[in-house]
Amino acid sequence: MKKKLNTTLGFYSPSFLRMHVGTKLSLVNLNVINDDFTESVYLHEYVHFIQDITTSYGLSNICITVDYLKFVNNYLIKQPKGKFVVPVLPIPNAPDNVHANLEFSKIYNGSGDDDEVVLTGHQKLNTTVSTNSHTQTVPYIQVDYITNSGHKDSFEFGALCIVENMAFIIESECYANCEPSPDIPYKSAEKLVELIFPEFGSDRLNILALCDASLKTFHPGPFFYDTLINIRDNKIPITKPEDVYDYCNQAVINFNGITNFNSLLDKMRNDAILQINGYFNDPQFQPIKTWLEKMINSAVDYRIANETFPLDIARQGKFSTNKAFADFLSKVGTPLVTNDIPETTLHDPHIGATTPNYSTIWAIDQIHSVLWGWQRNCDLLDFCNLSGIKTDTRCTAEPWERHLETTCAFGQMWRHWGLTGYKP
C-alpha cells in the first residue's frame, strides 16, 4: 500500500492506525472544533481508518505488512550483527511468498499521481506474478487520459483510486466547501463512471457505494470496473445506493472454500489480529494487543451489522449533525491522531485497567519505514518531548541506537525483535 494516503492536508498511514490532520487547532474534543477545514480533513483521513479495519482489502494489507516485517526480522537475525543494506527486499519465489504478495499488492493498489485530466479510454489488461509454485495471471484496469496541457498518459485504476475517491466523496458531501482535490486519484472513480456509464453517477452516492463494496475484495479495481459494466449492460435496476451493495453481494467468490463476503471479512479479521499479535511476544505488550484486537473486532462487528454505514455518514453532514460518524467513533474509537501543534490524541472506548502504550504501533511504522530505506529518523520526536520521554541526537539519525532505552518505543521494539547491534 502507498506509505501515506493524502499527504498535502493530512495523511493516514495504512496498516499502522495513525492519521495526521494539518491544523493547529486542538483535536481533543471534536464537538468544539467548529472549523470546516479541520473537520473535513479529519473526516477524510478517518474514512481511510474505516477502510483499513472494516474491509477485507484493508485487513489483507495489514497481513501483508506484518509478513514483510516478520521476513525482515527472521532474515536479519540470521546475519552477523553490524551494518545491513536497506531496503531489505524479500526473495522472489521463496516459500514464504512475501515477495509475491507485495507484487500482488502493487497491482491491486494501482497508480495515479495528482493531476487534472480528461479520461479518454479504458481497458482491462493482464499481467503475471510468480509465486513459489506457479505463475498467476492478474487483471488490472488501464485508463487513458489527457492533461490540460495536452499530455497523454495512462494510470492503473485500482485500490488507491477507489479509497481516495470514496474518502473525497464523503468529505465533500459533508463539507461542500472542503479543499479542492486533483482529479487523479481523488475523483478518478467518478470520472471513470462518467466515461463508462454516466447515468449510474447521477446519484453520487451510487459511486460511493460501489467504491466501498469493491473493498470487500482483495482486488478492488477490476471488481469496480466489471460491476459497473455489468450493471450497465444488464440494465440492473439501481433505485438507491443501497441497491449497489445488494447487487455486489451476489458476486460469486471462492477463497479457500469461503463463498460470501461476510465470511471472508470474518476470516480476514481473525488473520489480521493473529498477525498483529505476532509483533509482540512479551506480556508487557498485552495491553496494546488487547486494544488492537478489540478495535478490529468492534469495527468488523459494526460493519457486519451496518453494512452501508458509510452512506449514512455521507448523508448526515458536519460533525455537529453526523450521528452515524459519532456512533462508529464511539463504538470503535480512533487511531492515533496527530496535528501541527503538535498534539497527539486517541479515543479508546475499550480501555481496561492498564492503559496501552498507544505509541508502540507508531514506532513499528517508523521501523517499517527505516527497513524500506524511506527514512533514518524517528517521527516520534515531538511526541516523546511532550510526553516527558528523553530524546537526543540519535532520534534524528540513528534511533535504533536507543535500544537500551526503556521509555523509547522505537528502541523497545528494536530490542524486542532481537535487532540490537543491527544498523541500517
Side-chain angles (χ1 to χ4, degrees), residues 60-86:
S60 70
N61 278 328
I62 291 175
C63 294
I64 291 169
T65 299
V66 177
D67 272 342
Y68 169 74
L69 285 169
K70 286 181 178 178
F71 155 75
V72 176
N73 193 197
N74 291 331
Y75 170 79
L76 288 179
I77 61 178
K78 294 174 184 175
Q79 311 302 315
K81 291 189 176 185
K83 293 182 180 180
F84 63 90
V85 176
V86 294

Side-chain angles (χ1 to χ4, degrees), residues 209 212-213 216 241-249 307-308 310-311:
D212 191 30
K216 295 170 179 283
E242 284 80 0
D243 294 340
V244 177
Y245 287 89
D246 291 339
Y247 179 70
C248 289
N249 285 338
E307 179 187 31
T308 65
L311 291 175

Side-chain angles (χ1 to χ4, degrees), residues 93-151:
N93 304 320
D96 58 23
N97 266 335
V98 173
H99 179 272
N101 286 335
L102 288 173
E103 290 298 304
F104 282 123
S105 182
K106 194 182 302 179
I107 298 166
Y108 296 167
N109 290 332
S111 61
D113 293 329
D114 296 355
D115 212 343
E116 302 296 328
V117 302
V118 173
L119 303 190
T120 58
H122 55 88
Q123 57 184 322
K124 188 175 182 180
L125 302 172
N126 290 312
T127 186
T128 58
V129 172
S130 295
T131 71
N132 61 4
S133 60
H134 65 285
T135 298
Q136 184 168 326
T137 300
V138 187
Y140 67 96
I141 309 305
Q142 179 177 295
V143 180
D144 302 318
Y145 66 86
I146 185 169
T147 67
N148 294 338
S149 64
H151 174 68

Side-chain angles (χ1 to χ4, degrees), residues 59-60 62-67 70 265-281 288-290 292-294 296-297 300:
L59 293 167
S60 70
I62 291 175
C63 294
I64 291 169
T65 299
V66 177
D67 272 342
K70 286 181 178 178
L265 179 59
D266 194 49
K267 171 184 167 46
M268 295 314 302
R269 168 238 301 263
N270 293 328
D271 286 356
I273 290 171
L274 185 65
Q275 286 282 69
I276 289 174
N277 284 343
Y279 280 145
F280 313 107
N281 299 303
I288 194 82
K289 290 167 64 174
T290 300
L292 293 167
E293 183 169 344
K294 287 183 175 180
I296 291 173
N297 274 328
V300 171

Side-chain angles (χ1 to χ4, degrees), residues 34-327:
N34 195 29
D35 177 77
D36 284 1
F37 169 81
T38 299
E39 291 182 18
S40 67
V41 175
Y42 190 107
L43 180 58
H44 184 113
E45 305 312 334
Y46 193 86
V47 170
H48 289 320
F49 170 63
I50 291 172
Q51 295 161 341
D52 218 15
I53 62 171
T54 74
T55 72
S56 291
Y57 166 76
L59 293 167
S60 70
N61 278 328
I62 291 175
C63 294
I64 291 169
T65 299
V66 177
D67 272 342
Y68 169 74
L69 285 169
K70 286 181 178 178
F71 155 75
V72 176
N73 193 197
N74 291 331
Y75 170 79
L76 288 179
I77 61 178
K78 294 174 184 175
Q79 311 302 315
K81 291 189 176 185
K83 293 182 180 180
F84 63 90
V85 176
V86 294
V88 183
L89 299 176
I91 302 163
N93 304 320
D96 58 23
N97 266 335
V98 173
H99 179 272
N101 286 335
L102 288 173
E103 290 298 304
F104 282 123
S105 182
K106 194 182 302 179
I107 298 166
Y108 296 167
N109 290 332
S111 61
D113 293 329
D114 296 355
D115 212 343
E116 302 296 328
V117 302
V118 173
L119 303 190
T120 58
H122 55 88
Q123 57 184 322
K124 188 175 182 180
L125 302 172
N126 290 312
T127 186
T128 58
V129 172
S130 295
T131 71
N132 61 4
S133 60
H134 65 285
T135 298
Q136 184 168 326
T137 300
V138 187
Y140 67 96
I141 309 305
Q142 179 177 295
V143 180
D144 302 318
Y145 66 86
I146 185 169
T147 67
N148 294 338
S149 64
H151 174 68
K152 295 180 180 180
D153 209 335
S154 65
F155 66 94
E156 288 78 51
F157 178 81
L160 172 61
C161 290
I162 289 170
V163 299
E164 287 294 7
N165 206 156
M166 176 180 166
F168 181 71
I169 291 174
I170 293 177
E171 175 190 14
S172 53
E173 285 292 311
C174 294
Y175 295 89
N177 61 342
C178 71
E179 289 292 311
S181 293
D183 291 339
I184 304 176
Y186 304 98
K187 303 172 190 172
S188 50
E190 293 180 87
K191 295 183 81 69
L192 188 58
V193 167
E194 184 181 339
L195 186 65
I196 295 175
F197 186 23
E199 292 87 348
F200 181 81
S202 60
D203 184 344
R204 198 176 182 215
L205 295 191
N206 287 341
I207 304 173
L208 167 59
L210 185 52
C211 285
D212 191 30
S214 297
L215 299 178
K216 295 170 179 283
T217 72
F218 301 138
H219 199 358
F223 185 89
F224 182 104
Y225 183 81
D226 291 343
T227 303
L228 180 64
I229 291 175
N230 286 338
I231 291 174
R232 181 196 67 185
D233 292 352
N234 296 305
K235 296 181 172 55
I236 305 298
I238 302 293
T239 59
K240 59 184 184 301
E242 284 80 0
D243 294 340
V244 177
Y245 287 89
D246 291 339
Y247 179 70
C248 289
N249 285 338
Q250 298 173 29
V252 176
I253 66 169
N254 186 357
F255 180 77
N256 295 337
I258 293 172
T259 56
N260 67 80
F261 284 126
N262 276 353
S263 295
L264 180 61
L265 179 59
D266 194 49
K267 171 184 167 46
M268 295 314 302
R269 168 238 301 263
N270 293 328
D271 286 356
I273 290 171
L274 185 65
Q275 286 282 69
I276 289 174
N277 284 343
Y279 280 145
F280 313 107
N281 299 303
D282 189 289
Q284 66 174 312
F285 295 112
Q286 188 57 49
I288 194 82
K289 290 167 64 174
T290 300
W291 167 57
L292 293 167
E293 183 169 344
K294 287 183 175 180
M295 177 194 290
I296 291 173
N297 274 328
S298 62
V300 171
D301 288 345
Y302 193 95
R303 169 68 84 171
I304 291 174
N306 309 275
E307 179 187 31
T308 65
F309 78 92
L311 291 175
D312 299 328
I313 295 176
R315 289 170 173 146
Q316 292 180 12
K318 300 181 181 182
F319 285 174
S320 58
T321 60
N322 205 314
K323 293 181 180 179
F325 167 75
D327 188 50

